[in-house]
Structure formats: C-alpha cells, structure tokens
Amino acid sequence: MAEVSIELKTAPADFRFPTTNQTRHCFTRYIEFHRCVAAKGDDSSECQKFANYYRSLCPGEWVERWNEQRDNGTFPGPL
Amino acid sequence: MIESQRHSYHLVDPSPWPISGSLGALATTVGGVMYMHSFQGGATLLSLGLIFILYTMFVWWRDVLRESTLEGHHTKVVQLGPRYGSIPFIVSEVMFLFAFFRASSHSSLAPTVEIGGIWPPKGIGVLDPREIPFLNTPILLSSGAAVTWAHHAILAGKEKRAVYALVATVSLALVFTGFQGMEYYQAPFTISDSIYGSTFFLATGFHGFHVIIGTLFLIICGIRQYLGHLTKEHHVGFEAAAWYWHFVDVVRLFPFVSIYWWGGI
C-alpha cells in the first residue's frame, strides 16, 4: 500500500499582525493577492502564495462578500 | 443684607421652578420617546416639554438675578457657591466632548476591515483643513482674547469699554458659527455617510452647539454690563461665562488638530 502524505499548511506568521485576532492579516493577504494579479497578470505563479494565505486565514463568507463587492465596485479596501 | 439677619448666607424662598423644570424634563423625555416611535401626540408632548423647560430656565434665572443684583443676597460667601459649582460643570462638559473625540480617534487610528482599513473611508471627500477650519480656529481664539479684554475692563471699572469688548467677543463668536454653518452646508458628505460622517458631525456639531450656548451666555453678560449689573467687585455671571468660553475655545483645538488636520491630509 502506497503512503499518501498530505502536507497541511497555513499562512506563515507575519510580524505586521502580531495579535491573536488575524482579521487584518486575512484582509491584507486578500488585497495583496488582488494587487499582485492586477500587476502581474492572471496566470502569474507568483500570486498563488497570497491566494493560499488568504484562503487559509479568511472565513469563506467574507471572501464571497468581498468578491461580490469587487464585482459591484463597492469594495472598500485599497486595491 | 436684611437688618435682622446675623449671618451672610442666602436662605432662599420656596420656589416653584425646581418642580416645573422636573415636569418639563419628564414631558420632554416621554414626548421624545413617543415622537421617535411615531406615537400619536408625541410631537405635541415633546414641544410642550421643551417650552416648559425654556420657560423655567427664563423665570428661574430671572429670580436669581433679582435676588443677587436687586436684593443683594449674593454676599461674598454666597458667590463662592456658583463659582465653585461652575468648575465641576465645565469639567463634566469636557468629559462629554472628550467621548466624541475618543470615538473619532477609535474609528480612525485603526480603521476596521469593514471600511477597508483606510481613513478616510473610500468615497469620502474630506474638507481641506487649510480652508474654513484654519480660518475659524483663530477667529474663536481671538474671541477668547476679546473676553479677557472685557474682563480687564470690568476689573478696571471701565463700563463702556467692557460693553465694547463683549460686543467684539460676541461678533467673533457669530462669525465662527456662520462659517461653521457654511462648512456644513458645503460639506460633500453627510452624517449618514459612514463612520467618518457620524464621528465628524457628532464631534464638531456638539462643539458648535456649545459655542452657541456660550454665545448666548456672553450676550446676556453684554446686556447686563450695558444695564450696569456688573461691578468690579461683583460679576460672578461674567466670570462663569468667561470660563465657559475658554473651555469652548480650548476644546476647538482637538477637532481642529485630530479631525480636520490629521484626519484630512
């Protein structure tokens, strides 16, 4: 029987966000991902890490809401 | 002082104004709640209560003025009461306004994720602090200097000069309020535009409201100075108005520095 090893990883500790509450960390990674995509293009491999970070940190509903807000042009963050 | 009286304290006569003021306050709160919940008669009760309070304020202060200026009950020791009393009153006013500046700082120093983590929030066109705010601050501070001029004139017994100084003080105050009204009228945001609008109008609005109260206080002092009520030995009402005016003056610096200037650049 072949051993399948799955590597589980979350976002690394970031000293900009030293508090237990990681809301701002999640939000910043979300913004960083979209800024990266805007600067380097959709299929740039460099941006993938930001996506992994925010998907690991942010609750799904928040991401859905922010995606909706970006579509409507009502996203409040500095994109 | 009355001949038979062997002490210098003022034993006040029974007065209907405490209970009438209380009833006015009761009608105002109940009427206010009814009005805000669209109950029938709410607006009527609220207006009635406010009229009652304003009436009580007028007649109560009229009585105090008669007792002090016309009947001479406010001896040196009696004057200590309103003098000491006005200090905790002003301190409580400072704390009241501090709460709104604290709310503003709380919202702006670490803006929440809900407003995108930025200040001012997206879409808020802030006012240029170098325009009306930078003009209005020295106008209010100058009127604080003018009230000191009036104080010195009263202490020197120059009655006419004191009236002129108070006219100057009140004029500067009215110019301040006029400019503040213009700023509100031209502001590109309203009180319902995000936490920025809420904190901006709450803080500057309550400060402006206190400027109006202080202006009315100084107008009364000016009229009483003109009528010869204030002497160089006895002018507690004027001193309280001057302290109140300096409080309003100093408090202006907080919204100017933290809301208009820091929050606007």
Side-chain angles (χ1 to χ4, degrees), chain B residues 27 48 62 74 106 112 138 161 164 166-167 201 233 255-256 258:
Chain B
L48 219 71
R62 180 204 62 188
H74 285 201
H106 172 82
T112 58
R161 194 179 297 173
Y164 295 149
L166 278 168
V167 168
F201 284 107
E233 292 87 17
F256 177 66
S258 70

Side-chain angles (χ1 to χ4, degrees), chain B residues 4 11 15 17 33 38 69 85 93 119-120 126 156 158 171 173-174 178 188 197 207 222 232:
Chain B
S4 58
L11 304 179
S15 160
W17 311 135
V33 170
S38 306
T69 308
E93 291 271 67
W119 194 268
V126 296
K158 310 274 188 192
S171 305
L174 294 176
H207 175 260
K232 61 178 172 184

Side-chain angles (χ1 to χ4, degrees), chain B residues 25-37 41-47:
Chain B
L26 180 68
T28 303
T29 40
V30 174
V33 170
M34 284 170 69
Y35 174 67
M36 285 182 255
H37 288 270
T44 314
L45 191 61
L46 176 61
S47 334

Side-chain angles (χ1 to χ4, degrees), chain B residues 176-201:
Chain B
F176 174 88
T177 304
F179 274 132
Q180 208 62 17
M182 202 165 106
E183 179 180 279
Y184 276 22
Y185 184 72
Q186 295 179 339
F189 50 85
T190 71
I191 196 169
S192 52
D193 283 326
S194 85
I195 188 69
Y196 185 93
S198 305
T199 53
F200 176 90
F201 284 107

Side-chain angles (χ1 to χ4, degrees), chain B residues 68-142:
Chain B
S68 59
T69 308
L70 308 180
E71 296 171 8
H73 287 300
H74 285 201
T75 58
K76 278 283 168 216
V77 69
V78 171
Q79 288 175 36
L80 292 177
R83 284 174 69 98
Y84 288 158
S86 63
I87 292 166
F89 169 64
I90 290 172
V91 169
S92 76
E93 291 271 67
V94 170
M95 291 193 273
F96 174 79
L97 286 159
F98 179 82
F100 299 118
F101 301 136
R102 185 199 160 274
S104 173
S105 303
H106 172 82
S107 311
S108 61
L109 288 171
T112 58
V113 163
E114 284 75 10
I115 56 166
I118 48 168
W119 194 268
K122 199 179 219 171
I124 296 286
V126 296
L127 299 165
D128 187 343
R130 287 160 297 188
E131 287 173 6
I132 289 179
F134 193 45
L135 176 62
N136 243 357
T137 304
I139 286 175
L140 201 64
L141 293 179
S142 307

Side-chain angles (χ1 to χ4, degrees), chain A:
Chain A
M1 201 175 92
E3 283 236 348
V4 185
S5 75
I6 302 169
E7 202 191 351
L8 291 171
K9 268 203 306 192
T10 182
D14 186 322
F15 290 104
R16 289 176 296 173
F17 311 103
T19 52
T20 308
N21 188 332
Q22 292 287 297
T23 301
R24 216 169 281 279
H25 190 177
C26 130
F27 186 65
T28 304
R29 290 308 197 186
Y30 179 85
I31 287 172
E32 281 172 348
F33 171 69
H34 287 286
R35 277 183 167 178
C36 179
V37 168
K40 314 238 159 137
D42 260 335
D43 32 42
S44 175
S45 57
E46 291 166 73
C47 302
Q48 195 48 45
K49 63 173 184 184
F50 295 117
N52 291 341
Y53 295 163
Y54 89 70
R55 280 174 194 149
S56 150
L57 288 163
C58 301
E61 308 94 88
W62 293 10
V63 174
E64 277 168 39
R65 190 172 69 225
W66 293 335
N67 286 341
E68 241 172 71
Q69 287 178 333
R70 279 189 311 110
D71 291 342
N72 300 336
T74 56
F75 184 71
L79 281 179

